[in-house]
mmCIF file with all atom_site columns, all heavy atoms in Angstrom:
data_model
loop_
_atom_site.group_PDB
_atom_site.id
_atom_site.type_symbol
_atom_site.label_atom_id
_atom_site.label_alt_id
_atom_site.label_comp_id
_atom_site.label_asym_id
_atom_site.label_entity_id
_atom_site.label_seq_id
_atom_site.pdbx_PDB_ins_code
_atom_site.Cartn_x
_atom_site.Cartn_y
_atom_site.Cartn_z
_atom_site.occupancy
_atom_site.B_iso_or_equiv
_atom_site.pdbx_formal_charge
_atom_site.auth_seq_id
_atom_site.auth_comp_id
_atom_site.auth_asym_id
_atom_site.auth_atom_id
_atom_site.pdbx_PDB_model_num
ATOM 1   N N   . ILE G 1 81 ? -0.322 7.883  -41.129 1.00 0.00 ? 115 ILE G N   1
ATOM 2   C CA  . ILE G 1 81 ? -0.489 6.458  -40.972 1.00 0.00 ? 115 ILE G CA  1
ATOM 3   C C   . ILE G 1 81 ? 0.816  5.774  -40.648 1.00 0.00 ? 115 ILE G C   1
ATOM 4   O O   . ILE G 1 81 ? 0.923  4.913  -39.759 1.00 0.00 ? 115 ILE G O   1
ATOM 5   C CB  . ILE G 1 81 ? -1.118 5.838  -42.250 1.00 0.00 ? 115 ILE G CB  1
ATOM 6   C CG1 . ILE G 1 81 ? -2.537 6.360  -42.429 1.00 0.00 ? 115 ILE G CG1 1
ATOM 7   C CG2 . ILE G 1 81 ? -1.129 4.276  -42.143 1.00 0.00 ? 115 ILE G CG2 1
ATOM 8   C CD1 . ILE G 1 81 ? -3.185 5.872  -43.749 1.00 0.00 ? 115 ILE G CD1 1
ATOM 9   N N   . ALA G 1 82 ? 1.900  6.186  -41.354 1.00 0.00 ? 116 ALA G N   1
ATOM 10  C CA  . ALA G 1 82 ? 3.204  5.633  -41.059 1.00 0.00 ? 116 ALA G CA  1
ATOM 11  C C   . ALA G 1 82 ? 3.653  5.931  -39.616 1.00 0.00 ? 116 ALA G C   1
ATOM 12  O O   . ALA G 1 82 ? 4.269  5.096  -38.921 1.00 0.00 ? 116 ALA G O   1
ATOM 13  C CB  . ALA G 1 82 ? 4.215  6.201  -42.059 1.00 0.00 ? 116 ALA G CB  1
ATOM 14  N N   . THR G 1 83 ? 3.294  7.154  -39.162 1.00 0.00 ? 117 THR G N   1
ATOM 15  C CA  . THR G 1 83 ? 3.698  7.523  -37.785 1.00 0.00 ? 117 THR G CA  1
ATOM 16  C C   . THR G 1 83 ? 2.961  6.657  -36.803 1.00 0.00 ? 117 THR G C   1
ATOM 17  O O   . THR G 1 83 ? 3.544  6.148  -35.794 1.00 0.00 ? 117 THR G O   1
ATOM 18  C CB  . THR G 1 83 ? 3.352  9.013  -37.530 1.00 0.00 ? 117 THR G CB  1
ATOM 19  O OG1 . THR G 1 83 ? 4.090  9.785  -38.440 1.00 0.00 ? 117 THR G OG1 1
ATOM 20  C CG2 . THR G 1 83 ? 3.703  9.415  -36.104 1.00 0.00 ? 117 THR G CG2 1
ATOM 21  N N   . PHE G 1 84 ? 1.636  6.419  -36.997 1.00 0.00 ? 118 PHE G N   1
ATOM 22  C CA  . PHE G 1 84 ? 0.910  5.558  -36.132 1.00 0.00 ? 118 PHE G CA  1
ATOM 23  C C   . PHE G 1 84 ? 1.502  4.106  -36.090 1.00 0.00 ? 118 PHE G C   1
ATOM 24  O O   . PHE G 1 84 ? 1.679  3.568  -34.995 1.00 0.00 ? 118 PHE G O   1
ATOM 25  C CB  . PHE G 1 84 ? -0.550 5.448  -36.616 1.00 0.00 ? 118 PHE G CB  1
ATOM 26  C CG  . PHE G 1 84 ? -1.428 6.633  -36.154 1.00 0.00 ? 118 PHE G CG  1
ATOM 27  C CD1 . PHE G 1 84 ? -2.355 7.133  -37.048 1.00 0.00 ? 118 PHE G CD1 1
ATOM 28  C CD2 . PHE G 1 84 ? -1.273 7.200  -34.916 1.00 0.00 ? 118 PHE G CD2 1
ATOM 29  C CE1 . PHE G 1 84 ? -3.166 8.202  -36.672 1.00 0.00 ? 118 PHE G CE1 1
ATOM 30  C CE2 . PHE G 1 84 ? -2.065 8.250  -34.513 1.00 0.00 ? 118 PHE G CE2 1
ATOM 31  C CZ  . PHE G 1 84 ? -3.002 8.757  -35.416 1.00 0.00 ? 118 PHE G CZ  1
ATOM 32  N N   . ARG G 1 85 ? 1.768  3.595  -37.251 1.00 0.00 ? 119 ARG G N   1
ATOM 33  C CA  . ARG G 1 85 ? 2.363  2.243  -37.323 1.00 0.00 ? 119 ARG G CA  1
ATOM 34  C C   . ARG G 1 85 ? 3.730  2.159  -36.573 1.00 0.00 ? 119 ARG G C   1
ATOM 35  O O   . ARG G 1 85 ? 3.997  1.204  -35.889 1.00 0.00 ? 119 ARG G O   1
ATOM 36  C CB  . ARG G 1 85 ? 2.538  1.821  -38.789 1.00 0.00 ? 119 ARG G CB  1
ATOM 37  C CG  . ARG G 1 85 ? 1.162  1.449  -39.428 1.00 0.00 ? 119 ARG G CG  1
ATOM 38  C CD  . ARG G 1 85 ? 1.329  1.133  -40.919 1.00 0.00 ? 119 ARG G CD  1
ATOM 39  N NE  . ARG G 1 85 ? 0.057  0.721  -41.491 1.00 0.00 ? 119 ARG G NE  1
ATOM 40  C CZ  . ARG G 1 85 ? -0.165 0.616  -42.775 1.00 0.00 ? 119 ARG G CZ  1
ATOM 41  N NH1 . ARG G 1 85 ? 0.817  0.925  -43.617 1.00 0.00 ? 119 ARG G NH1 1
ATOM 42  N NH2 . ARG G 1 85 ? -1.340 0.201  -43.202 1.00 0.00 ? 119 ARG G NH2 1
ATOM 43  N N   . SER G 1 86 ? 4.549  3.188  -36.776 1.00 0.00 ? 120 SER G N   1
ATOM 44  C CA  . SER G 1 86 ? 5.841  3.217  -36.131 1.00 0.00 ? 120 SER G CA  1
ATOM 45  C C   . SER G 1 86 ? 5.697  3.268  -34.633 1.00 0.00 ? 120 SER G C   1
ATOM 46  O O   . SER G 1 86 ? 6.402  2.602  -33.869 1.00 0.00 ? 120 SER G O   1
ATOM 47  C CB  . SER G 1 86 ? 6.616  4.448  -36.592 1.00 0.00 ? 120 SER G CB  1
ATOM 48  O OG  . SER G 1 86 ? 7.836  4.577  -35.856 1.00 0.00 ? 120 SER G OG  1
ATOM 49  N N   . THR G 1 87 ? 4.702  4.066  -34.146 1.00 0.00 ? 121 THR G N   1
ATOM 50  C CA  . THR G 1 87 ? 4.501  4.155  -32.694 1.00 0.00 ? 121 THR G CA  1
ATOM 51  C C   . THR G 1 87 ? 4.008  2.813  -32.159 1.00 0.00 ? 121 THR G C   1
ATOM 52  O O   . THR G 1 87 ? 4.440  2.393  -31.067 1.00 0.00 ? 121 THR G O   1
ATOM 53  C CB  . THR G 1 87 ? 3.432  5.274  -32.412 1.00 0.00 ? 121 THR G CB  1
ATOM 54  O OG1 . THR G 1 87 ? 3.900  6.479  -32.961 1.00 0.00 ? 121 THR G OG1 1
ATOM 55  C CG2 . THR G 1 87 ? 3.235  5.407  -30.893 1.00 0.00 ? 121 THR G CG2 1
ATOM 56  N N   . VAL G 1 88 ? 3.099  2.189  -32.871 1.00 0.00 ? 122 VAL G N   1
ATOM 57  C CA  . VAL G 1 88 ? 2.617  0.882  -32.387 1.00 0.00 ? 122 VAL G CA  1
ATOM 58  C C   . VAL G 1 88 ? 3.739  -0.146 -32.286 1.00 0.00 ? 122 VAL G C   1
ATOM 59  O O   . VAL G 1 88 ? 3.868  -0.887 -31.340 1.00 0.00 ? 122 VAL G O   1
ATOM 60  C CB  . VAL G 1 88 ? 1.472  0.326  -33.338 1.00 0.00 ? 122 VAL G CB  1
ATOM 61  C CG1 . VAL G 1 88 ? 1.163  -1.096 -33.019 1.00 0.00 ? 122 VAL G CG1 1
ATOM 62  C CG2 . VAL G 1 88 ? 0.220  1.183  -33.207 1.00 0.00 ? 122 VAL G CG2 1
ATOM 63  N N   . THR G 1 89 ? 4.577  -0.143 -33.317 1.00 0.00 ? 123 THR G N   1
ATOM 64  C CA  . THR G 1 89 ? 5.779  -1.072 -33.299 1.00 0.00 ? 123 THR G CA  1
ATOM 65  C C   . THR G 1 89 ? 6.643  -0.756 -32.111 1.00 0.00 ? 123 THR G C   1
ATOM 66  O O   . THR G 1 89 ? 7.125  -1.683 -31.450 1.00 0.00 ? 123 THR G O   1
ATOM 67  C CB  . THR G 1 89 ? 6.529  -0.898 -34.582 1.00 0.00 ? 123 THR G CB  1
ATOM 68  O OG1 . THR G 1 89 ? 5.751  -1.226 -35.719 1.00 0.00 ? 123 THR G OG1 1
ATOM 69  C CG2 . THR G 1 89 ? 7.845  -1.847 -34.609 1.00 0.00 ? 123 THR G CG2 1
ATOM 70  N N   . GLY G 1 90 ? 6.907  0.539  -31.861 1.00 0.00 ? 124 GLY G N   1
ATOM 71  C CA  . GLY G 1 90 ? 7.739  0.877  -30.680 1.00 0.00 ? 124 GLY G CA  1
ATOM 72  C C   . GLY G 1 90 ? 7.107  0.488  -29.389 1.00 0.00 ? 124 GLY G C   1
ATOM 73  O O   . GLY G 1 90 ? 7.776  -0.005 -28.470 1.00 0.00 ? 124 GLY G O   1
ATOM 74  N N   . LEU G 1 91 ? 5.756  0.613  -29.249 1.00 0.00 ? 125 LEU G N   1
ATOM 75  C CA  . LEU G 1 91 ? 5.097  0.217  -28.068 1.00 0.00 ? 125 LEU G CA  1
ATOM 76  C C   . LEU G 1 91 ? 5.167  -1.299 -27.907 1.00 0.00 ? 125 LEU G C   1
ATOM 77  O O   . LEU G 1 91 ? 5.374  -1.766 -26.776 1.00 0.00 ? 125 LEU G O   1
ATOM 78  C CB  . LEU G 1 91 ? 3.628  0.650  -28.106 1.00 0.00 ? 125 LEU G CB  1
ATOM 79  C CG  . LEU G 1 91 ? 3.370  2.152  -27.923 1.00 0.00 ? 125 LEU G CG  1
ATOM 80  C CD1 . LEU G 1 91 ? 1.876  2.462  -28.181 1.00 0.00 ? 125 LEU G CD1 1
ATOM 81  C CD2 . LEU G 1 91 ? 3.731  2.611  -26.549 1.00 0.00 ? 125 LEU G CD2 1
ATOM 82  N N   . GLN G 1 92 ? 5.012  -2.068 -28.955 1.00 0.00 ? 126 GLN G N   1
ATOM 83  C CA  . GLN G 1 92 ? 5.086  -3.505 -28.874 1.00 0.00 ? 126 GLN G CA  1
ATOM 84  C C   . GLN G 1 92 ? 6.470  -3.937 -28.374 1.00 0.00 ? 126 GLN G C   1
ATOM 85  O O   . GLN G 1 92 ? 6.602  -4.882 -27.562 1.00 0.00 ? 126 GLN G O   1
ATOM 86  C CB  . GLN G 1 92 ? 4.714  -4.137 -30.197 1.00 0.00 ? 126 GLN G CB  1
ATOM 87  C CG  . GLN G 1 92 ? 3.288  -4.035 -30.578 1.00 0.00 ? 126 GLN G CG  1
ATOM 88  C CD  . GLN G 1 92 ? 3.001  -4.519 -31.975 1.00 0.00 ? 126 GLN G CD  1
ATOM 89  O OE1 . GLN G 1 92 ? 3.820  -4.562 -32.819 1.00 0.00 ? 126 GLN G OE1 1
ATOM 90  N NE2 . GLN G 1 92 ? 1.769  -4.936 -32.224 1.00 0.00 ? 126 GLN G NE2 1
ATOM 91  N N   . THR G 1 93 ? 7.435  -3.290 -28.918 1.00 0.00 ? 127 THR G N   1
ATOM 92  C CA  . THR G 1 93 ? 8.869  -3.593 -28.514 1.00 0.00 ? 127 THR G CA  1
ATOM 93  C C   . THR G 1 93 ? 9.023  -3.298 -27.027 1.00 0.00 ? 127 THR G C   1
ATOM 94  O O   . THR G 1 93 ? 9.632  -4.106 -26.245 1.00 0.00 ? 127 THR G O   1
ATOM 95  C CB  . THR G 1 93 ? 9.887  -2.779 -29.311 1.00 0.00 ? 127 THR G CB  1
ATOM 96  O OG1 . THR G 1 93 ? 9.722  -3.083 -30.677 1.00 0.00 ? 127 THR G OG1 1
ATOM 97  C CG2 . THR G 1 93 ? 11.252 -3.077 -28.879 1.00 0.00 ? 127 THR G CG2 1
ATOM 98  N N   . ARG G 1 94 ? 8.509  -2.181 -26.595 1.00 0.00 ? 128 ARG G N   1
ATOM 99  C CA  . ARG G 1 94 ? 8.648  -1.727 -25.173 1.00 0.00 ? 128 ARG G CA  1
ATOM 100 C C   . ARG G 1 94 ? 7.842  -2.700 -24.307 1.00 0.00 ? 128 ARG G C   1
ATOM 101 O O   . ARG G 1 94 ? 8.319  -3.075 -23.179 1.00 0.00 ? 128 ARG G O   1
ATOM 102 C CB  . ARG G 1 94 ? 8.097  -0.316 -24.983 1.00 0.00 ? 128 ARG G CB  1
ATOM 103 C CG  . ARG G 1 94 ? 8.293  0.203  -23.604 1.00 0.00 ? 128 ARG G CG  1
ATOM 104 C CD  . ARG G 1 94 ? 9.754  0.278  -23.190 1.00 0.00 ? 128 ARG G CD  1
ATOM 105 N NE  . ARG G 1 94 ? 9.914  0.858  -21.899 1.00 0.00 ? 128 ARG G NE  1
ATOM 106 C CZ  . ARG G 1 94 ? 10.826 0.505  -21.024 1.00 0.00 ? 128 ARG G CZ  1
ATOM 107 N NH1 . ARG G 1 94 ? 11.720 -0.426 -21.357 1.00 0.00 ? 128 ARG G NH1 1
ATOM 108 N NH2 . ARG G 1 94 ? 10.945 1.118  -19.866 1.00 0.00 ? 128 ARG G NH2 1
ATOM 109 N N   . ILE G 1 95 ? 6.639  -3.105 -24.741 1.00 0.00 ? 129 ILE G N   1
ATOM 110 C CA  . ILE G 1 95 ? 5.895  -4.116 -23.971 1.00 0.00 ? 129 ILE G CA  1
ATOM 111 C C   . ILE G 1 95 ? 6.657  -5.395 -23.750 1.00 0.00 ? 129 ILE G C   1
ATOM 112 O O   . ILE G 1 95 ? 6.679  -5.962 -22.700 1.00 0.00 ? 129 ILE G O   1
ATOM 113 C CB  . ILE G 1 95 ? 4.486  -4.346 -24.630 1.00 0.00 ? 129 ILE G CB  1
ATOM 114 C CG1 . ILE G 1 95 ? 3.614  -3.103 -24.470 1.00 0.00 ? 129 ILE G CG1 1
ATOM 115 C CG2 . ILE G 1 95 ? 3.845  -5.550 -24.017 1.00 0.00 ? 129 ILE G CG2 1
ATOM 116 C CD1 . ILE G 1 95 ? 2.388  -3.150 -25.317 1.00 0.00 ? 129 ILE G CD1 1
ATOM 117 N N   . GLY G 1 96 ? 7.274  -5.842 -24.815 1.00 0.00 ? 130 GLY G N   1
ATOM 118 C CA  . GLY G 1 96 ? 8.105  -7.039 -24.730 1.00 0.00 ? 130 GLY G CA  1
ATOM 119 C C   . GLY G 1 96 ? 9.223  -6.897 -23.734 1.00 0.00 ? 130 GLY G C   1
ATOM 120 O O   . GLY G 1 96 ? 9.499  -7.804 -22.912 1.00 0.00 ? 130 GLY G O   1
ATOM 121 N N   . GLU G 1 97 ? 9.880  -5.763 -23.750 1.00 0.00 ? 131 GLU G N   1
ATOM 122 C CA  . GLU G 1 97 ? 11.005 -5.514 -22.817 1.00 0.00 ? 131 GLU G CA  1
ATOM 123 C C   . GLU G 1 97 ? 10.449 -5.478 -21.428 1.00 0.00 ? 131 GLU G C   1
ATOM 124 O O   . GLU G 1 97 ? 11.113 -6.043 -20.515 1.00 0.00 ? 131 GLU G O   1
ATOM 125 C CB  . GLU G 1 97 ? 11.723 -4.211 -23.207 1.00 0.00 ? 131 GLU G CB  1
ATOM 126 C CG  . GLU G 1 97 ? 12.371 -4.213 -24.531 1.00 0.00 ? 131 GLU G CG  1
ATOM 127 C CD  . GLU G 1 97 ? 12.924 -2.833 -24.956 1.00 0.00 ? 131 GLU G CD  1
ATOM 128 O OE1 . GLU G 1 97 ? 12.501 -1.866 -24.280 1.00 0.00 ? 131 GLU G OE1 1
ATOM 129 O OE2 . GLU G 1 97 ? 13.686 -2.748 -25.903 1.00 0.00 ? 131 GLU G OE2 1
ATOM 130 N N   . LEU G 1 98 ? 9.385  -4.789 -21.158 1.00 0.00 ? 132 LEU G N   1
ATOM 131 C CA  . LEU G 1 98 ? 8.834  -4.666 -19.817 1.00 0.00 ? 132 LEU G CA  1
ATOM 132 C C   . LEU G 1 98 ? 8.354  -6.008 -19.317 1.00 0.00 ? 132 LEU G C   1
ATOM 133 O O   . LEU G 1 98 ? 8.492  -6.335 -18.123 1.00 0.00 ? 132 LEU G O   1
ATOM 134 C CB  . LEU G 1 98 ? 7.700  -3.636 -19.768 1.00 0.00 ? 132 LEU G CB  1
ATOM 135 C CG  . LEU G 1 98 ? 8.092  -2.181 -19.947 1.00 0.00 ? 132 LEU G CG  1
ATOM 136 C CD1 . LEU G 1 98 ? 6.849  -1.333 -20.086 1.00 0.00 ? 132 LEU G CD1 1
ATOM 137 C CD2 . LEU G 1 98 ? 8.933  -1.743 -18.756 1.00 0.00 ? 132 LEU G CD2 1
#
Side-chain angles (χ1 to χ4, degrees):
I115 293 175
T117 299
F118 279 141
R119 286 176 174 167
S120 174
T121 301
V122 170
T123 300
L125 287 173
Q126 289 175 334
T127 300
R128 184 61 178 148
I129 289 171
E131 294 171 350
L132 290 173

